Amino acid sequence: MKKMVYFFGGGKGEGHGRMKELLGGKGANLAEMTNISLPVPPGFTITTEVCDAYYKAGHKLPASLSEQIDKNLAKLEKAMSAKLGDNRNPLLVSVRSGAAVSMPGMMDTVLNLGLTDKSLVGLAKQTNERMAWDAYRRLINMFGNVVMGVDHEHFERAMTEVKKKARVKLDTDMTIAHLKELVKKYKAIYKKYTKEDFPQNPKLQLRKAVEAVFGSWNIPRAVKYRQINNITGLLGTAVNVQAMVFGNMGDTSGTGVCFTRNPSTGENVFYGEFLMNAQGEDVVAGIRTPLPIEQLNDYLPECYQQLLQIKDILEQHYKDVQDFEFTIQNGTLYMLQTRTGKRTGPAAVRIAVEMVKERLIDKKTALMRVESSALDQLLHPQFDPKAKKQVIATGLAASPGAAAGRIAFTAEDAERRSDIGDRVLLVRRETSPEDIGGMNVAAGILTSTGGMTSHAAVVARGMGTPCVAGCGTLDIDAQKKTLKVGGKTYTAKDWLSIDGSTGDVMAGQVPTVEPELSGYFNTLMKWADSVRKLKVRTNADTPEDAKVARGFGAQGIGLCRTEHMFFEGERIWAMREMILADDEKGRRQALRKLLPIQRRDFVGIFKAMEGLPVTIRLLDPPLHEFLPQNEKAQREMARRLKVPVKTIQTKVGQLHEMNPMLGHRGCRLAVTYPEIADMQVQAIIEAACAVKKKGMKVLPEIMIPLIGTVNELTFLKVRAQKVAAEVIAKKGVKLKYMIGTMIEIPRAALTANEIAAEAEFFSFGTNDLTQMTFGYSRDDVGTFVPHYIQKEILPRDPFQTLDQIGVGELVKLGLQRGREARPKLKVGICGEHGGDPDSVKFCHRIGMDYVSCSPYRVPIARLSAAQAVLEEKAR
Amino acid sequence: MKKMVYFFGGGKGEGHGRMKELLGGKGANLAEMTNISLPVPPGFTITTEVCDAYYKAGHKLPASLSEQIDKNLAKLEKAMSAKLGDNRNPLLVSVRSGAAVSMPGMMDTVLNLGLTDKSLVGLAKQTNERMAWDAYRRLINMFGNVVMGVDHEHFERAMTEVKKKARVKLDTDMTIAHLKELVKKYKAIYKKYTKEDFPQNPKLQLRKAVEAVFGSWNIPRAVKYRQINNITGLLGTAVNVQAMVFGNMGDTSGTGVCFTRNPSTGENVFYGEFLMNAQGEDVVAGIRTPLPIEQLNDYLPECYQQLLQIKDILEQHYKDVQDFEFTIQNGTLYMLQTRTGKRTGPAAVRIAVEMVKERLIDKKTALMRVESSALDQLLHPQFDPKAKKQVIATGLAASPGAAAGRIAFTAEDAERRSDIGDRVLLVRRETSPEDIGGMNVAAGILTSTGGMTSHAAVVARGMGTPCVAGCGTLDIDAQKKTLKVGGKTYTAKDWLSIDGSTGDVMAGQVPTVEPELSGYFNTLMKWADSVRKLKVRTNADTPEDAKVARGFGAQGIGLCRTEHMFFEGERIWAMREMILADDEKGRRQALRKLLPIQRRDFVGIFKAMEGLPVTIRLLDPPLHEFLPQNEKAQREMARRLKVPVKTIQTKVGQLHEMNPMLGHRGCRLAVTYPEIADMQVQAIIEAACAVKKKGMKVLPEIMIPLIGTVNELTFLKVRAQKVAAEVIAKKGVKLKYMIGTMIEIPRAALTANEIAAEAEFFSFGTNDLTQMTFGYSRDDVGTFVPHYIQKEILPRDPFQTLDQIGVGELVKLGLQRGREARPKLKVGICGEHGGDPDSVKFCHRIGMDYVSCSPYRVPIARLSAAQAVLEEKAR
């Protein structure tokens, strides 16, 4: 019989910290902490394999499980010298979920299990009567809600009634009599909705709770959480059954959550918070605002000193920041959980760099430790320090960054408005796991209760979303959709700005500026650069973008889209004139107006990228994109160009396409109207000559888009070379330039050997390549791709992360065939995937020369490229 | 120095018949005929390599060419005992084009070259004065037109003037004085437009004529002809310089064109026509209507007997039907050309089969000899013999087949109207090479002058287009766009029908019936079936189509599209109801109405295909195709379904897609609305059970379209199997069925190993695969693909003939990877390419099991499949 249950206790765990797949993160670390002699209440873990079996059997637990549970329960009872639900010496247990990957608050927990009408008496004797009745009402509530599905609201209402009748405000103010009345009411509620009495058999309680935890693996909010966080491939959750300890036993009891370092800034200071006389859930749920951990020294100095020791032990043992929970029962400290601490991007960088300096880890580990996508948070704009700010409140700086948005009072509202393009700030008294969808789309999160480890704060940090938590002066009415503060009322129409690094809440939309990059960041990037082999370029269409990217370490431009240059200001009119022209002569006339403008653009870009290669893509979009589609704008165009509106409408009609994505664009335009490409090549080479004449180094690379057959490329290359040779001869400058192509059509990848014979470089345009390889129109996937991800037909959105087995196969094939024909072919990738960590790693593995991504993703690509090398070595 | 000129004459040619690439068809066969001692006037051929060099050097002849010409000219002068342009004993030559592939009338010719003011005197003495002046005026006209680009019209007008003044009607009625005057006028015209005198240096004439012939290789009509006929890869044209013989020397002279067998029916009878006292151009141009060749026996019996002998020699020598030209000069017969005779499809089949019976060729040669695409002509509808026909005229049965269309009086008109979907019949006095575009799009061709070997007749037979030629009773006025016959006037609005097998011209649109297939056809098909390895299925959506295809030899249905079943009659309303439904329940309700209808459809198809496999594709097109797009129809729909019109418009808006080709369709519909696929599977399996219960063998294959990832297939397969199992259990019938997929998305081909693990068969949907692999929307390629073909960027339209190196590579890859995962995977192709000869051969070569094509293309595929085997063996 397979081992389904792993015991921990008495200084020894059957499992250990590396068994997360099987025992879940919580279970593995409870065993590990037990093994390194930290004070952990004993218990046992039911494996994730059992969860898998439970689903495979159609929601049925394996037959032999109860025998193994019984055996381990006996061991636990022996360790605790108590018996589950015993009348005199009752053992109470908690039953908690715990998957291999942390999903905070997503699945269900039952506390105080083992209490019955009879064992209550025993508990009362061991502890005190009030505590016992309080534990009992909590059990009935939790068990009723979590295991039996009775709405929590019913219990809440009963409590409110009792408190009202008793004229007390806080739960802690209720007397034993009140609690007894409450238990009675709770039992009645339980019976009303479940049609049965609250179970008085402790083993039945346990069995049902275990099933309920397994069942919670697939509740919608847990499924959604995994989806948002790309958590796939897990067997399920484990179940941890552990002896209860009580932080609510009185004034020498308490509970808290700590980080070994500050997870928001990364500073190496002990960080956490606690509540005296409370159960752990109270801290996490953010119902009472807890105290900073240093103050524990004032209440229970010995416990505080012990915690400081434990913190050091944990960091030395795990070599990483730990996020742990503790409970103090009558002056005795117990560790209930430890896990790797989630941290913000800036914190991750600082911690990694500082731990190297502390010789806790080496540089390679440091590079692997920072999730490259988290760098995003370091690079994005912050509020302009010089801007006028009207600070209306200040809360906890729970997740750094600057965010502004219109107020959304519910998660649903946030989702709905975000869908239609609204920028929203989610404003809640407190957040709960149900809010996960709204939190995901919000620009920032603001709460009025809860601390630094409340749900809102933890989740926001994980997402990299700015968050200000526990801002108590806010008076939020989600029903009426109003927020009152400082005598003013704000509604869903109003903008708020929050600074997650200071805790400031400001009225209106405060302007932002570029961030200053920390020394930690620069150190880490230097390490990354010394490891990586892939070059990182940027996609930039303007000198401004080019400069930003260069500041972030870009080693050239991988994609300069020229079409944007045709849209701006007055240029669009010359473009429209060209489109309306009947013949080549008319087109050339209009193009002559565009030539000096284009040349000026290129001069600016070449200067900004002095000494680095610049890949310029010739005109790509279909011509209809340059014409107005509605009648009013068409009339204006007619007036301006002095042509009948009918002419414009006819042209719009002629240019209309059923599937513009697969239509007359890219090099197809250049083949049918070569004069457009001629003008662009002339502008590029003239600009390059002008810049070179000023003594600057310039490396222009002309990229011809949408090549499907080598003949297109040959046709256009011959023309381009002719134009370039003429310009170079005329300017009398020695200039080297390259002509290459985008590989974005499946056929181009398949016939890459032919194409490479003509192309000096390839740049994989994986956006279009993904569209055509999947047969997905990016504009239209909204109707089915979300279904696909939900049904796990697609693991992820292939437009965000390169589909390595399909599209990637084509990329690999194209690269191999290209290099067969031209061994020194320069190969890169441009488009969204160039800044996606997994995709960058793929590009490294298949042997590309560079990736190109948007300026803000350049550091992400640099780090990912380094990680790719390290991962390869680790294999 | 490379040999650029090949001499023939005196019983020996330097070249031979297999040197067509180098000498062109005409040149090679002149040498060959010389070698087998047929009476050929001597001459020499300038190679196609010279043509290639001419273009590569920028329209310049190689320097050493004139030396080689001079040498061969000297040889020719010796053979003829005459001197080019000599005053007393002048040699005259013809200068003609001739490429490796015959392009009748497409390029230029100059006759009587060598005549000058002085040599005319010599010619007059040798022949007669009238003849000499007539030859001279012809030379000035041809040379002026062909070599110097003077419009032929100018010469025509001068001739008309002279004839009017002289009050004569026919050219032959002009006296010497008239001809002298004409020459004077022609010279003046020549000078006026060329700014120089007509050249009096015969060698200069020759040099210019040679250049002009090379230049004619790339004139628009020649380029267009090659395009239409997919003629690529040639070096250029050769130039044949040959001693002139004159068919217009008087009553013992003449000229003619013959076929060794009837090229229209294939019957083994001597076939041809001639004109007494005429030059060859007169026959081909169709200006005078010639006499049947048998009548030559009445004029020149010896020559006729000699021709009969030559006919037999030619067939025995070439083992194929020959199309040859002869000229009789003063009772002496000369052969001017022979080539493989173009023939109609029915003739090709009959000739191939009869030649096997005559032991002239073997069966394999017979199979290779019939161009499979020509079978098309045997299969297409013919006029219903029982229909009432109003025959208004009868002409020559020049190219068989039934055609009806509205009259187009010019080729341009035919092209223009055909583009907008009009079905046209091209009606001309005579056609000329300029008309090629219009002839290509016309349903049929009708001329009032010209014989069986006139331009119209030859080209029409080549194209397989029905043609009635030389219908002299028609009074055609292309200017006024009227056709008068039998006292009635027909205009461009009127329908005419022509029967190219009888020569009948009928008013109106005569109904057609299926053709009866000849014994020759069946014999050839039997031979093909015994050779081929590929199975041939058909694409059929109705029992009627299925029966037709079965009659043509289809071995099953490879693609039954179910969407057509949703459009017909009342069904569309249930479909629309389903689309409007808000939820699954509503959709299921509407689908219940469709179930019995679909089942009935499938029962019919299974019965028609009893014992053969039937592949049924689940719903494929996007839902918006089922909704009306214009407001009027939307209002009607609203009335009928009793919903607000707004609801319909909203739905239409929701379903609108930017790129529907890459949108929500195929299996993506089935994944998001599985109930649609459920209904279809239920209908298929219920129908199969019902048919099986009647004792018939039924082999259903369920095909899931547009699979891009194996997960889609798994998801839908599991559902389909569940539905099928339920039906089979309920009906109590043992039924085997298969579930497979279309491979039409590049990603499916790339991940075919994964997909084949789930799919029992693959059917390559090369229409969509071509769209996505090229990134071409079939609906939108009109804007650039014609340019591409013209510029030779694409060799052919990839939607007609499979692009073997790009799309084909993906097909090959998909097949290999699929068979790796499932060695017995059944693999076929459906879509247009399944009936295209080259594509069928490709499918054979890569190892497919079957091709599937439209019913009328089934025989083409059968023959192509056999040819593929034979070509493979030949390698």
Side-chain angles (χ1 to χ4, degrees), chain A residues 453-474:
Chain A
T453 54
S454 65
H455 181 263
V458 170
V459 172
R461 280 199 294 274
M463 289 174 170
T465 301
C467 175
V468 170
C471 187
T473 55
L474 304 182

Side-chain angles (χ1 to χ4, degrees), chain A residues 654 656-664 667-668 671-672 674 708-709 711-712 715 745-748 750-751 754 771-777 779-780 783-784 787-788 791-794 803 805-807 809-810 813 817, chain B residues 654 656-664 667-668 671-672 674 708-709 711-712 715 745-748 750-751 754 771-777 779-780 783-784 787-788 791-794 803 805-807 809-810 813 817:
Chain A
Q654 281 168 356
H656 173 77
E657 293 182 307
M658 293 293 292
N659 298 285
M661 176 52 52
L662 306 175
H664 195 187
C667 71
R668 299 166 195 173
V671 171
T672 44
T709 151
N711 295 342
E712 293 169 317
F715 177 84
I745 299 257
R747 194 178 187 282
L750 291 162
T751 62
E754 293 186 350
Q771 295 201 83
M772 293 177 209
T773 305
F774 268 95
Y776 290 174
S777 158
D779 296 321
D780 302 312
T783 39
F784 60 92
H787 284 263
Y788 272 33
K791 288 179 175 157
E792 294 198 8
I793 285 174
L794 287 178
D803 159 52
I805 70 159
V807 181
E809 175 70 14
L810 212 44
L813 222 136
R817 292 184 180 184
Chain B
Q654 282 168 356
H656 173 77
E657 292 181 309
M658 291 293 293
N659 297 287
M661 175 52 52
L662 305 176
H664 196 188
C667 71
R668 300 166 195 173
V671 170
T672 43
T709 151
N711 294 342
E712 292 168 319
F715 177 85
I745 299 257
R747 195 180 186 281
L750 290 163
T751 62
E754 293 185 351
Q771 294 201 82
M772 292 176 211
T773 305
F774 269 94
Y776 290 174
S777 158
D779 296 320
D780 302 311
T783 41
F784 60 90
H787 284 263
Y788 271 34
K791 289 182 175 158
E792 296 199 6
I793 284 174
L794 287 176
D803 158 51
I805 69 159
V807 182
E809 175 69 15
L810 212 44
L813 222 138
R817 293 185 178 181

Side-chain angles (χ1 to χ4, degrees), chain A residues 487-498:
Chain A
K488 282 198 178 164
T489 302
Y490 300 85
T491 69
K493 282 184 200 157
D494 292 311
W495 282 86
L496 285 187
S497 300
I498 59 167

Side-chain angles (χ1 to χ4, degrees), chain A residues 365-377:
Chain A
T365 308
L367 285 169
M368 291 306 294
R369 183 112 351 130
V370 178
E371 236 184 270
S372 50
S373 60
L375 293 182
D376 217 22
Q377 299 164 40

Side-chain angles (χ1 to χ4, degrees), chain A residues 467-481:
Chain A
C467 175
V468 170
C471 187
T473 55
L474 304 182
D475 178 2
I476 299 169
D477 188 329
Q479 216 69 37
K480 291 194 187 151
K481 306 213 171 193

Side-chain angles (χ1 to χ4, degrees), chain A residues 226 230-234 792 795:
Chain A
R226 292 200 291 275
N230 276 324
I231 301 172
T232 55
L234 298 188
E792 294 198 8

